[in-house]
Amino acid sequence: MNYKLFRIFVAKMTSLASIKLQKLCIGYRAKGNEKTVAQNISAAIFPGELTCLLGQNGIGKSTLLRTLSAFQNALDGEVLLTDKDGKERRLTELTDKELSRLIGVVLTEKPDVRNMTARELVDLGRSPYTGFWGGLTADDKEVVSAALKQVGIESLAERPVHTLSDGERQKVMIAKALAQETPVIFLDEPTAFLDFPSKVDMMQLLGRLAHEQQKTIFLSTHDVELALQTADRIWVMEAGGISIGTPQQLAEDGTLSRFIERKGISFDKQTMTIHVNHN
């Protein structure tokens, strides 16, 4: 029996979807004009899974993430979130404070901070709970220390953020999201600008956080082969819509071959590997 697939099946039978998309239409409104990027998206994202969003440049991955994060409005349809009490809520009905306790977001952009240590940046993850003055209690500090430890960067805690490598900085931002204690974490290209070992470490870390803490982790990435080896579920965003399934399912139904293969590039669905032909 494939244990990974069995665990996913059991999770579906015992837990509610953390996020539901119902006939979602995404895009932009500007000066009375409407540009649709993708439409009629109906899908669910579950806790305990690492879900990776794949797609060509310009297809709308960042637009989808921004819409799910409530950074921009949907053109039509609904996004529903299951809160910590198990109650299903419309994204549009949530206050900023409620959103900050449900969704953590890690963007690709480097944090533009000076004279701030890694710990102080992670401290900001507690802002949804600290009140107007932002003072951290002993419990808040314990949560921050735990987040640093979970990501494995305790030794970087007192380092100025601007002195960290790209990979170290990304881990600090993930620790900040963990300190926020949200059930959902969205990440936009978390492996961008990292060397290959750091990419692997990052994806394995996110997988562990999803599995061990039952968090809903949804990320966009261009690292296709790495996503196929580490993700529990894949979303492939194309002009005709979104195909969703386990990597194995999308390999078998031809979605991955259609998405990956070009002249000189082939996909082996048995080994889940991409080959560049040098002929």
Side-chain angles (χ1 to χ4, degrees):
M1 175 182 288
N2 186 316
Y3 173 74
K4 187 175 183 180
L5 291 179
F6 177 72
R7 179 176 52 73
I8 293 171
F9 171 76
V10 171
K12 299 302 160 294
M13 299 300 292
T14 58
S15 65
L16 297 171
S18 181
I19 303 166
K20 290 181 183 177
L21 287 57
Q22 296 184 338
K23 296 183 179 179
L24 186 68
C25 178
I26 61 173
Y28 303 90
R29 290 189 180 98
K31 298 181 180 179
N33 295 320
E34 188 173 283
K35 179 184 178 182
T36 299
V37 173
Q39 59 187 337
N40 201 30
I41 306 170
S42 294
I45 312 174
F46 291 90
E49 285 191 359
L50 175 61
T51 304
C52 291
L53 173 65
L54 305 178
Q56 302 297 334
N57 285 333
I59 198 68
K61 298 188 304 298
S62 293
T63 303
L64 177 58
L65 276 170
R66 285 196 297 269
T67 304
L68 295 180
S69 304
F71 291 165
Q72 70 182 66
N73 294 327
L75 299 181
D76 199 5
E78 294 281 2
V79 178
L80 304 174
L81 273 76
T82 301
D83 64 21
K84 293 181 179 180
D85 297 323
K87 183 179 179 182
E88 204 166 69
R89 308 280 302 278
R90 286 186 176 88
L91 184 67
T92 53
E93 295 175 348
L94 296 168
T95 66
D96 288 345
K97 184 174 182 179
E98 287 173 324
L99 282 168
S100 70
R101 294 187 178 196
L102 285 172
I103 300 174
V105 181
V106 180
L107 301 175
T108 305
E109 290 83 3
K110 298 176 183 179
D112 184 18
V113 292
R114 290 276 172 174
N115 302 319
M116 179 178 284
T117 66
R119 182 184 295 276
E120 288 168 338
L121 183 53
V122 177
D123 284 346
L124 297 179
R126 298 304 298 162
S127 59
Y129 311 95
T130 55
F132 180 79
W133 296 109
L136 268 61
T137 66
D139 287 342
D140 289 322
K141 293 177 181 178
E142 193 172 309
V143 170
V144 168
S145 293
L148 291 164
K149 184 175 182 180
Q150 286 166 1
V151 183
I153 55 172
E154 307 103 305
S155 62
L156 303 178
E158 307 310 322
R159 284 265 304 276
V161 173
H162 71 273
T163 69
L164 302 177
S165 70
D166 288 340
E168 290 168 339
R169 214 166 12 236
Q170 284 287 69
K171 288 183 178 181
V172 171
M173 296 308 294
I174 291 173
K176 176 177 173 289
L178 288 178
Q180 201 173 329
E181 293 191 306
T182 58
V184 176
I185 301 177
F186 294 135
L187 305 100
D188 190 12
E189 295 286 347
T191 59
F193 315 120
L194 304 184
D195 58 38
F196 186 73
S198 297
K199 290 177 187 286
V200 174
D201 287 345
M202 183 66 66
M203 294 296 282
Q204 289 178 333
L205 167 64
L206 294 171
R208 286 197 304 272
L209 293 173
H211 301 158
E212 294 172 6
Q213 299 188 24
Q214 287 298 294
K215 289 186 179 292
T216 302
I217 298 185
F218 184 78
L219 64 90
S220 66
T221 182
H222 284 297
D223 291 312
V224 177
E225 199 162 16
L226 187 54
L228 297 182
Q229 295 179 49
T230 56
D232 299 299
R233 194 162 299 274
I234 298 285
W235 290 29
V236 179
M237 194 171 187
E238 300 173 283
I242 297 180
S243 299
I244 299 173
T246 65
Q248 293 81 5
Q249 289 168 340
L250 296 183
E252 289 300 324
D253 71 12
T255 296
L256 292 176
S257 293
R258 183 177 67 247
F259 172 67
I260 294 169
E261 292 186 340
R262 301 288 186 275
K263 183 178 180 180
I265 304 173
S266 60
F267 174 66
D268 187 330
K269 68 180 183 180
Q270 301 301 323
T271 61
M272 304 292 284
T273 54
I274 300 169
H275 300 282
V276 178
N277 305 318
H278 298 287
N279 295 334

